[in-house]
């Protein structure tokens, strides 16, 4: 499909796909604007949307699975709100066709980039919340997540590296791992994130510090956690 990219006349098409009409079209425009496109981009909305999404999905899992353990719900939530899942949902909503990107991102295929799609999805969640509140936002999310939630099984989710590392540190009665972004390098459309994962030890167990580089902060944190697990278990 040819990319629509974007004149304002296409916003109603996106609203129809989303199932929600924004009272303030500029809020939707901001939600789909990447930082490479303009100063009024979607990063603040993405920050808010991430928290709203995590809360709504956690609450839904709590209600749906009354016998699931904390660990099972944590892993299931992590799987449902991770960047890869959000990017897939964004693709189902055709968000890639509507993203506002700078020339470099457009040329490099940013409308297919997982992190950009996931951020736009979270930004739209925040935009809906700001206009109509948590319950109406929940209704939209339940519609978009319907298939994923119906297929969800808390007993079948494999633990991601960050969760496994956190549980291991807890079992050893050590502080939780600390993640720090050391560097963000490259142009907007090809950024690389360098993240450090620090695990403190004690007089019996040696701590460790590992680093990883990836195209998204989440992925870099996951890779650094995997390295830390290898060091601790060896």
């Amino acid at each position: 499909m040819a990319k629509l990219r974007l004149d304002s006349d296409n916003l109603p098409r996106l609203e129809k796909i989303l199932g929600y009409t924004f009272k303030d079209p500029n809020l939707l425009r901001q939600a789909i604007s990447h930082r490479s496109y303009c100063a009024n981009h979607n990063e603040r909305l993405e920050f808010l949307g991430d928290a709203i999404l995590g809360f709504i999905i956690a609450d839904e899992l709590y209600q749906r699975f009354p016998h699931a353990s904390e660990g099972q719900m944590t892993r299931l939530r992590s799987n449902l709100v991770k960047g890869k899942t959000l990017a897939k949902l964004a693709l189902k909503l055709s968000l890639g066709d509507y993203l506002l990107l700078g020339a470099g991102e457009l040329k490099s295929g940013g409308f297919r980039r997982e992190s950009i799609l996931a951020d736009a999805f979270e930004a739209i969640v925040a935009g809906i919340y700001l206009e109509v509140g948590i319950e109406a936002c929940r209704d939209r999310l339940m519609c978009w997540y319907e298939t994923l939630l119906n297929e969800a099984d808390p007993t079948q989710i494999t633990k991601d590296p960050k969760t496994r590392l956190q549980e291991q540190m807890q079992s050893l009665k050590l502080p939780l791992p600390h993640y720090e972004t050391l560097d963000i390098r490259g142009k907007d459309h090809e950024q690389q994130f360098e993240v450090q994962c620090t695990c403190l030890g004690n007089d019996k167990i040696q701590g460790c510090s590992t680093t990883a580089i990836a195209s998204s902060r989440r992925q870099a944190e996951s890779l650094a956690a995997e390295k830390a697990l290898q060091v601790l278990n060896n």
Side-chain angles (χ1 to χ4, degrees):
M1 177 179 177
K3 297 291 170 281
L4 300 176
R5 311 265 86 71
L6 193 341
D7 74 74
S8 297
D9 293 339
N10 291 320
L11 291 179
R13 301 185 195 179
L14 176 56
E15 290 175 328
K16 185 174 181 180
I17 295 171
L18 296 174
Y20 176 78
T21 300
F22 278 80
K23 300 171 186 176
D24 179 6
N26 288 324
L27 191 57
L28 175 57
R29 176 174 283 274
Q30 181 184 355
I32 57 177
S33 294
H34 186 257
R35 67 193 303 266
S36 64
Y37 180 78
C38 64
N40 190 33
H41 51 72
N42 64 8
E43 288 185 357
R44 280 175 54 83
L45 287 173
E46 179 265 328
F47 166 79
L48 179 59
D50 177 68
I52 295 165
L53 178 62
F55 167 72
I56 291 176
I57 293 300
D59 183 61
E60 181 66 19
L61 295 178
Y62 182 85
Q63 303 297 335
R64 280 186 180 235
F65 303 107
H67 302 297
S69 69
E70 178 190 2
Q72 289 173 328
M73 289 190 294
T74 297
R75 291 191 294 274
L76 188 50
R77 179 185 60 183
S78 177
N79 187 63
L80 289 170
V81 303
K82 66 183 181 182
K84 187 179 293 293
T85 300
L86 301 187
K88 288 180 180 178
L89 289 171
L91 287 172
K92 285 186 66 175
L93 295 170
S94 301
L95 286 191
D97 293 340
Y98 297 89
L99 293 174
L100 294 171
L101 305 169
E105 280 291 356
L106 250 158
K107 186 176 180 180
S108 67
F111 53 87
R112 293 189 298 265
R113 200 180 311 283
E114 184 178 286
S115 59
I116 293 178
L117 288 165
D119 287 350
F121 182 90
E122 290 177 332
I124 287 173
V125 170
I128 295 174
Y129 164 76
L130 288 172
E131 284 204 336
V132 291
I134 196 74
E135 288 306 321
C137 186
R138 181 195 299 271
D139 290 343
R140 278 296 83 209
L141 279 172
M142 291 304 100
C143 179
W144 299 336
Y145 267 92
E146 181 179 11
T147 299
L148 290 175
L149 286 169
N150 288 340
E151 294 175 350
D153 182 349
T155 67
Q156 298 299 316
I157 298 298
T158 303
K159 298 178 184 179
D160 63 272
K162 289 182 66 177
T163 300
R164 286 189 280 124
L165 179 59
Q166 177 176 312
E167 291 181 352
Q168 182 158 337
M169 297 298 284
Q170 288 174 324
S171 70
L172 296 171
K173 294 182 171 54
L174 292 172
L176 295 181
H178 173 71
Y179 298 91
E180 179 182 0
T181 301
L182 299 179
D183 190 25
I184 303 175
R185 62 192 69 155
K187 299 178 181 178
D188 285 345
H189 61 282
E190 51 187 20
Q191 285 186 331
Q192 293 287 303
F193 295 82
E194 182 178 4
V195 169
Q196 181 180 61
C197 173
T198 302
C199 298
L200 299 179
N202 56 26
D203 56 347
K204 296 181 179 179
I205 300 169
Q206 185 175 355
C208 69
S209 180
T210 60
T211 61
I213 299 173
S215 58
S216 73
R217 187 178 288 103
R218 290 188 181 102
Q219 186 178 6
E221 287 178 351
S222 181
L223 291 172
E226 187 69 60
K227 289 182 178 180
L229 282 166
Q230 293 173 4
V231 172
L232 291 172
N233 291 329
N234 286 336

